Amino acid sequence: MDVLEAVRARRSVRKYKPTPIPDDVLARVLEAVRLAPSAKNLQPWRFILIQDAALKAGIAAACVNQTFMAGAPVIVAACGLPEKSYARMGRYMNSWPVDVTIAFEHLVLQAQAEGLGTCWIGAFYEEEVKALLGVPAEARVLGLTPLGYPDESPAARPRKPLAEIVSREKF
Ligand SMILES: Cc1cc2nc3c(=O)[nH]c(=O)nc-3n(C[C@H](O)[C@H](O)[C@H](O)COP(=O)(O)O)c2cc1C
């Protein structure tokens, strides 16, 4: 599957089969994470794989009761390490949310290429997620995703036309 094919086919999946993910498939998804670029190549991230049923249920509850998450064989939590990232990217911001987002999207696209579904989860109570996963105070949770074989085939959601989002030479 080429990159544009994966991008075109990806959907946010909110229903999963319980089928386990083979080790070699999961390894390739994680390899895509590992190879992501980051500011100054600092790689300020930690990806936590959650497979325990009770823990998955707790995480789903901490994600404002998005119970569908627990139906996937794996939930991934993407964490950032602000103290180990580039503090003043562009002279104004810490790079960690950008770094972790890029690695997260690598995961999403490789998952798609492997026939797996994902769904960015940005609605969660960070302190609850941190407590459940033993995330240290200095680390942050950027987002989560269920990871597993889709049990639904959602239609493509609309996007703005290119003319609305791209301009040439000036804003
Ligand atoms: C940063 C971010 C946070 C999101 N948070 C949630 C979420 O908490 N729960 C959910 O079901 N979907 C969440 N989504 C998925 C979006 O609703 C979805 O990407 C959007 O509606 C477009 O649909 P598509 O991903 O199928 O193309 C999130 C997506 C992004 C990028």
Side-chain angles (χ1 to χ4, degrees):
M1 179 179 276
D2 74 18
V3 176
L4 187 56
E5 244 182 278
V7 169
R8 281 205 172 112
R10 186 211 55 80
R11 305 279 183 273
S12 290
V13 173
R14 299 185 177 88
K15 192 162 185 249
Y16 292 87
K17 295 177 179 158
T19 316
I21 303 171
D23 288 347
D24 60 320
V25 173
L26 191 56
R28 286 192 294 273
V29 170
L30 298 175
E31 180 68 352
V33 168
R34 193 180 74 82
L35 295 175
S38 56
K40 292 184 181 271
N41 199 23
L42 289 169
Q43 305 161 60
W45 45 55
R46 172 73 68 111
F47 284 74
I48 305 173
L49 305 181
I50 304 144
Q51 290 172 290
D52 177 81
L55 192 51
K56 283 191 298 177
I59 290 293
C63 295
V64 297
N65 283 322
Q66 300 192 68
T67 50
F68 73 88
M69 295 172 68
V74 181
I75 294 175
V76 183
C79 302
L81 309 171
E83 291 169 9
K84 295 190 174 164
S85 59
Y86 181 26
R88 294 196 68 232
M89 186 178 68
R91 301 286 175 270
Y92 77 99
M93 71 174 283
N94 191 304
S95 69
W96 80 266
V98 176
D99 296 326
V100 180
T101 298
I102 292 168
F104 198 139
E105 189 64 7
H106 273 210
L107 178 152
V108 165
L109 293 180
Q110 184 59 30
Q112 179 64 40
E114 300 284 353
L116 293 165
T118 56
C119 182
W120 268 84
I121 299 293
F124 58 90
Y125 299 109
E126 187 185 19
E127 287 312 316
E128 285 182 27
V129 172
K130 286 178 74 166
L132 284 165
L133 301 179
V135 177
E138 68 275 13
R140 301 293 307 273
V141 181
L142 178 92
L144 304 98
T145 181
L147 182 65
Y149 293 98
D151 198 15
E152 64 170 4
S153 304
R157 281 100 188 182
R159 293 295 192 266
K160 295 175 182 176
L162 263 190
E164 206 179 310
I165 62 167
V166 176
S167 53
R168 295 178 193 271
E169 320 313 341
K170 301 270 192 220
F171 187 97

